[in-house]
Amino acid sequence: GPASPITVSGSTTVTGYYASQYSVTFSHSGLDSSATGTVVTVNSVLKDYADLPYSLWVDSGSSVTYSYTPSVSSSVSGKRFRLTGVTGPTSPITVTAPTTVTGNYTIQYLITFANSGLDSMATGTVVTVDGVPKTYVDLPYSVWLDSGSSVTYSYNSIVSSSVAGQRFRLVAVHCPPSPFIVTGPITITGEYCKQYQITFAQSGLDSTATGTVVTVNGVPKMYADLPYSVWLDSGSSVTYSYSSTVSSSVAGKRFRLVAIHSPTSPFTVTGPVTITGEYCIQYQVTFAQ
């Protein structure tokens, strides 16, 4: 019919044509007010948490496309939201009835595994997280895990070094013991100290030597125990004493301490070291008449 306004000059019929429309609503579950950034894109239009639920009227038979963001950020550090699934028709939707589409999210927290005391010489596994080994170069290792999930981990009590005579000993683990339930972001730190190999050896003795040869931190060691090696923390103190004479199972024979090579007792551990007690054989000479 004629467009408005109409100049009436005779009988006229004006007909309005209507199309059916349906409401299409996009909502969410699992998000909270800390959610930031795009949650869902509808027909190329970005919608964030504050926009939801978002509804639009759509002609019957027309198409709507959408996509929910797989991971939604949070204004809370170490927190985010993971898309677990979408309830409702898949995209694109051909609209034939009122429709609601819901993106379902779960909270995730950032769990970090770190270390202190190790250096770039550390080799091999430092920590195993849920069965996956991580070395020094992997640390700090961070993983996003669902709230309420369980985490198992273990730090190695000893970590090897590429430097001979050096290694690292686990002193403590800071934060919850394994396993633990994820309830928030957390950093777990394995604290290590450096250890060095200290070796006590001898020269000049033979298999006839009997009794104590050297006493290390109060512990006596005999010929069969030598060389005797012990791992000690860097900065710790060591006391030792070599016996001035060592007996022999052969009558009229013994061994006399000639010299001690390397640091004198006590000494502070600052690196790997070998201490050697040098002996010479003595024989008993008897003068009779």
Side-chain angles (χ1 to χ4, degrees), residues 117-119 157-161 163-171 192-198 230-236 269-273:
L118 298 179
D119 61 33
S157 57
I158 298 295
V159 174
S160 300
S161 170
V163 176
Q166 175 183 292
R167 71 179 189 180
F168 304 90
R169 178 179 68 85
L170 182 65
V171 177
Y192 287 85
C193 70
K194 192 173 289 185
Q195 288 193 317
Y196 294 108
Q197 188 174 39
I198 310 301
V230 60
W231 288 95
L232 297 173
D233 293 351
S234 177
S236 62
V269 176
T270 58
V273 68

Side-chain angles (χ1 to χ4, degrees), residues 201-210 213 223 226 242-248 253-259 261 275-283:
Q202 59 79 27
S203 67
L205 299 179
D206 62 32
S207 59
T208 67
T210 60
V213 176
Y223 172 83
L226 303 182
Y242 278 87
S243 298
S244 57
T245 59
V246 175
S247 300
S248 171
K253 177 182 178 182
R254 72 177 187 179
F255 305 89
R256 178 177 67 84
L257 182 64
V258 175
H261 302 284
I275 301 164
T276 302
E278 180 186 352
Y279 288 86
C280 69
I281 298 173
Q282 286 189 323
Y283 293 105

Side-chain angles (χ1 to χ4, degrees), residues 128-215:
T128 300
V129 181
D130 285 339
V132 181
K134 298 297 176 180
T135 63
Y136 173 81
V137 297
D138 299 320
L139 303 182
Y141 165 66
S142 295
V143 58
W144 288 96
L145 296 173
D146 293 351
S147 177
S149 61
S150 179
V151 185
T152 61
Y153 72 90
S154 63
Y155 280 87
N156 279 10
S157 57
I158 298 295
V159 174
S160 300
S161 170
S162 59
V163 176
Q166 175 183 292
R167 71 179 189 180
F168 304 90
R169 178 179 68 85
L170 182 65
V171 177
V173 177
H174 302 284
C175 273
S178 176
F180 68 92
I181 302 300
V182 175
T183 58
I186 195 168
T187 296
I188 301 165
T189 302
E191 179 188 351
Y192 287 85
C193 70
K194 192 173 289 185
Q195 288 193 317
Y196 294 108
Q197 188 174 39
I198 310 301
T199 301
F200 294 87
Q202 59 79 27
S203 67
L205 299 179
D206 62 32
S207 59
T208 67
T210 60
T212 299
V213 176
V214 61
T215 301

